[in-house]
């Protein structure tokens, strides 16, 4: 399974923010849209990733205040990325290794979407459920030994 398979099911809605935007406005967008991340884009280029983790870290660093903090001051400036052709097992490894809950999907310089650790886990579970269903159907339709002539052959 590849990342493109997840994006196909998930859909193409993208939420972005600009680096010079106030962090408070980005936080409002995240809360209103009930999303855990925003891709930070500047002039069509990926420049960072803003997740609830970075927001909380910045608020703590500011003594519990958002103040006049800009997105660029809170974002992860070099987020891990993948492509649509990246294998899901590789994405899981990357996400675990870098403690990334969200990963932008890029096609060269174009943002194709964002996948979350939840999206990856759901895809894996759905795939396993499908495989289990197919195996159970196969086992259920297994030819009965008594209905086979091979079991009744005489020496």
């Amino acid at each position: 399974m590849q990342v493109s398979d997840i994006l196909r099911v998930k859909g193409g809605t993208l939420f972005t923010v600009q680096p010079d935007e106030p962090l408070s406005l980005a936080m409002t967008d995240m809360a209103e849209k009930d999303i855990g991340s925003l891709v930070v884009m500047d002039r069509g280029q990926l420049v960072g990733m803003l997740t609830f983790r970075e927001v909380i870290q910045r608020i703590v660093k500011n003594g519990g205040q958002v103040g006049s903090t800009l997105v660029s001051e809170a974002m992860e400036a070099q987020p891990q990325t993948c492509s649509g052709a990246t294998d899901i097992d590789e994405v899981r490894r990357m996400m675990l290794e870098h403690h990334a809950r969200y990963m932008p999907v890029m096609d060269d310089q174009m943002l194709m979407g964002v996948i979350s650790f939840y999206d990856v886990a759901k895809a894996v579970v759905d795939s396993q459920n499908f495989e289990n269903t197919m195996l159970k159907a196969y086992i259920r339709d297994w030819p009965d030994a008594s209905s086979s002539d091979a079991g009744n052959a005489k020496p």
Side-chain angles (χ1 to χ4, degrees):
M1 184 182 308
Q2 295 181 328
V3 170
S4 59
D5 298 321
I6 294 176
L7 288 180
R8 192 175 313 111
V9 172
K10 184 178 178 178
T13 305
L14 297 171
F15 297 104
T16 63
V17 64
Q18 294 181 9
D20 58 354
E21 192 170 307
L23 182 59
S24 59
L25 189 57
M27 290 168 50
T28 300
D29 284 348
M30 291 170 77
E32 287 176 354
K33 293 177 174 85
D34 192 27
I35 55 174
S37 70
L38 291 168
V39 180
V40 186
M41 301 290 287
D42 189 23
R43 291 178 268 244
Q45 298 293 312
L46 170 72
V47 295
M49 192 74 181
L50 182 69
T51 72
F52 57 86
R53 176 189 291 156
E54 287 81 28
V55 170
I56 291 170
Q57 288 174 343
R58 180 49 65 170
I59 290 172
V60 168
K61 192 173 185 177
N62 287 350
Q65 304 294 317
V66 176
S68 59
T69 304
L70 299 177
V71 167
S72 61
E73 298 172 68
M75 70 183 191
E76 169 65 40
Q78 295 179 338
Q80 290 289 308
T81 63
C82 62
S83 74
T86 306
D87 186 76
I88 291 302
D89 290 333
E90 176 66 9
V91 171
R92 285 192 305 188
R93 186 196 61 74
M94 291 168 59
M95 290 179 122
L96 288 170
E97 186 176 303
H98 297 280
H99 299 272
R101 289 180 180 90
Y102 301 91
M103 188 175 291
V105 181
M106 304 295 292
D107 183 7
D108 288 323
Q109 298 296 317
M110 181 174 290
L111 177 65
M112 304 305 291
V114 174
I115 59 170
S116 68
F117 200 79
Y118 171 85
D119 296 330
V120 173
K122 183 180 182 319
V124 169
V125 168
D126 289 349
S127 175
Q128 289 173 344
N129 286 341
F130 177 75
E131 186 175 321
N132 286 342
T133 300
M134 293 293 104
L135 287 171
K136 287 176 183 176
Y138 178 74
I139 290 168
R140 190 174 40 251
D141 294 339
W142 192 274
D144 199 9
S146 65
S147 65
S148 169
D149 288 339
N152 296 329
K154 296 184 180 171

